[in-house]
Each structure stands twice: as C-alpha cells, then as structure tokens.
Amino acid sequence: MSTERPPVVKRKTVRDIGLSKGATPLVCLTAYTAPVAQILDDEVDLLLVGDSLGMVIYGFDSTLPVTLRMMVDHGAAVVRATRRACIVVDLPFGSYQIGPEQAFQAAHAILAETSAGAVKLEGGAEMAPTVRFLVERGVPVMGHVGLMPQHARVLGGFRAQGREAAEAERIAADARAIADAGAFSVVIEGVAEPLARRITADIAIPTIGIGASAACDGQILVTDDLVGLFQDFTPRFVKRYATIGEAIGSAAARYAEDVRNRSFPGPEHVFRPKAG
Ligand code: KIV
C-alpha cells in the first residue's frame, strides 16, 4: 500500500484574487458543468458560473429567464468538480434588484448550497448599498459594470458602452462606487480601452475585462466562445482557440455513417456469451 499522500491543493480565495491587483493578469473563464470545470481548473485563477448559461446551455435569447435554482445547481456542480480555482456564481436577474435583504437571501442560497467563494451582481452606483450590505454580512461580491447583459433592454442591446464622454464618466463612477462598497473585484464589459485603463488605475480592486482591452488586471471569456462551441454569434472581442463545435459535428456525422452502414458496433464493441 502506498503511504504517499496526495499533494494538498489550496483553492484560490477571493483574498488571493483581490491581492493580485497590478500583478500577473488574472485568468478567468466561465464554467457551467462538472466535466468542463474539471478540465479548466488547472489553467485558470477563477471560474465564473455566469448567468450566460441561460443562452449558452439553455438556449434562451437573453439571461433574463435564468433562475436561482439553475445557478445553485450549476454552481454546485462546478465547485464539486474543482479544487484550485476560485468559484464565483452570478446572482440571476430578479434575485437581488428589489433590495439588499432580497440580495442577501439569494446570495445565502448560492453560498450555502454550492460552497462557491463569492457571488457576482450587475450594476453601478445604484447597487453600491446592496454590495455594502452583502459584504458587511460576510458575502464576498464581484461587481459587473459597463455592458450589463441583464440590462440589455435598457442599454439598447448588447452594444459597447461608454463611447461618449458622459456615459464614460458614469461607468467610471459606477466602478468606483462598487469598489468603495467593498467588492473584491469588478468585471468591466464592452468598453473602449481608455475607459478600462482609467478605471483600472482609479480603483484599488482588480478589474476583469471582457471586451475591455488588455488594460484590465485580468481577462474573462465565455468558454463556449473560446472553444467554438457556442456558434450563434461570435462577438468581436472573442478569440477562438479551438473549433469544438465542428469536431462534435464531424464525430456525429462519422458515427451516423458507421451506424447506417453497420460498421458500428464492431466485434470489439459487443459482449460475448460466456464460454461453456
Ligand atoms: O454571465 C457571464 O458569463 C458573465 C461574463 C461574460 C462576465 O457575466
């Protein structure tokens, strides 16, 4: 019997993430399922169980129909499958906008039922009191400003934000308010480089960019975009590192051909009767 113990692996905490401001850029991706989370765990600092799962996994045309139950179930699967990455779970639309008490109840469900490290919520200065309320009661919060998918109807769709001076001022003030309220990091989505650079210099917590340039303290992408699995639409800011969707299509086509011409299953794939 081997007496060797498996190496102790320490999961990254929100404190580790917060302390990495200005250091090597933080590597973040989304994960929604156990097998994908397990593959990504060794490569990233942080995995976000994003409410983008509504579009990517469930086929909705926005993130609005995503429920707290979905976030809890996917969050728990991702935590179970990982050992290293800091796991953050999105608060879904409608679970926190009514007020701080409602937000605390939703965050409690997520942290208690998934063991994730933190929750993320979208919003600027108007959400700062909620962020403060959560943090003061032990809930680590990641903010999300700029292009906020839960606000797409108000923002006029999924379009870049802060390209005009007044809008840029508002987004910079939003990021500051969220940082001042105690968030440990903030996602900045869909803004031009000068604004991302300015916010990153202006606030003491790490900025995680998506479509916000290399000026941020870290980057996040939707994994299904990165590997070419989500094929409805590829935003300009996505770099595709693999073509998994094509690989799945081609595997299914070869399987279909083998089934139809009876070359699958072959003798190596079938059980034999016991001899005698
Ligand atoms: O829901 C999500 O996946 C996100 C990221 C794109 C930042 O919020």
Side-chain angles (χ1 to χ4, degrees):
M1 196 180 79
S2 162
T3 53
E4 256 180 54
R5 286 164 185 250
V8 177
V9 178
K10 190 180 157 295
R11 192 186 279 283
K12 278 198 194 287
T13 62
V14 295
R15 186 163 182 275
D16 297 327
I17 301 296
L19 289 174
S20 63
K21 173 87 186 170
T24 307
L26 288 161
V27 179
C28 314
L29 282 171
T30 60
Y32 318 115
T33 63
V36 172
Q38 193 176 5
I39 293 168
L40 301 177
D41 191 33
D42 278 345
E43 312 300 335
V44 301
D45 298 302
L46 183 148
L47 286 174
L48 171 69
V49 185
D51 63 351
S52 51
L53 64 76
M55 300 167 86
V56 174
I57 300 280
Y58 288 91
F60 298 133
D61 66 358
S62 79
T63 57
L64 303 193
V66 172
T67 64
L68 189 56
R69 186 73 255 156
M70 288 175 186
M71 298 312 300
V72 166
D73 289 344
H74 287 272
V78 167
V79 172
R80 275 196 296 274
T82 54
R83 294 187 308 155
R84 290 174 187 276
C86 177
I87 311 296
V88 178
V89 179
D90 263 342
L91 291 177
F93 184 64
S95 73
Y96 62 97
Q97 286 89 348
I98 292 175
E101 281 89 356
Q102 187 209 21
F104 184 82
Q105 278 174 349
H108 171 260
I110 286 179
L111 297 190
E113 294 183 48
T114 70
S115 300
V119 298
K120 175 165 84 59
L121 58 78
E122 297 180 10
E126 80 293 350
M127 261 320 144
T130 295
V131 172
R132 189 178 303 284
F133 186 92
L134 292 178
V135 174
E136 284 175 350
R137 284 156 184 78
V139 178
V141 179
M142 173 183 261
H144 185 151
V145 301
L147 170 50
M148 298 175 287
Q150 292 179 10
H151 295 62
R153 281 174 167 73
V154 175
L155 298 176
F158 293 86
R159 57 173 197 86
Q161 299 294 304
R163 293 174 110 168
E164 278 141 34
E167 208 177 64
E169 283 308 317
R170 184 186 45 75
I171 295 170
D174 282 344
R176 210 172 309 122
I178 293 297
D180 289 348
F184 72 95
S185 67
V186 62
V187 168
I188 308 181
E189 179 164 355
V191 307
E193 173 161 6
L195 178 56
R197 188 175 295 287
R198 170 178 161 197
I199 293 173
T200 301
D202 191 38
I203 63 178
I205 58 173
T207 57
I208 313 290
I210 174 164
S213 86
C216 297
D217 296 302
Q219 297 295 323
I220 187 163
L221 282 178
V222 169
T223 298
D224 300 61
D225 287 336
L226 172 100
V227 300
L229 194 52
F230 185 63
Q231 292 171 313
D232 284 5
F233 166 68
T234 306
R236 172 192 163 92
F237 55 79
V238 169
K239 180 170 175 184
R240 203 168 256 192
Y241 288 82
T243 49
I244 301 298
E246 285 173 26
I248 293 174
S250 136
R254 284 184 287 125
Y255 165 72
E257 193 184 334
D258 285 357
V259 169
R260 290 186 183 119
N261 68 25
R262 295 194 189 277
S263 59
F264 177 82
E268 69 277 32
H269 304 117
V270 293
F271 298 105
R272 290 173 220 292
K274 277 191 178 149

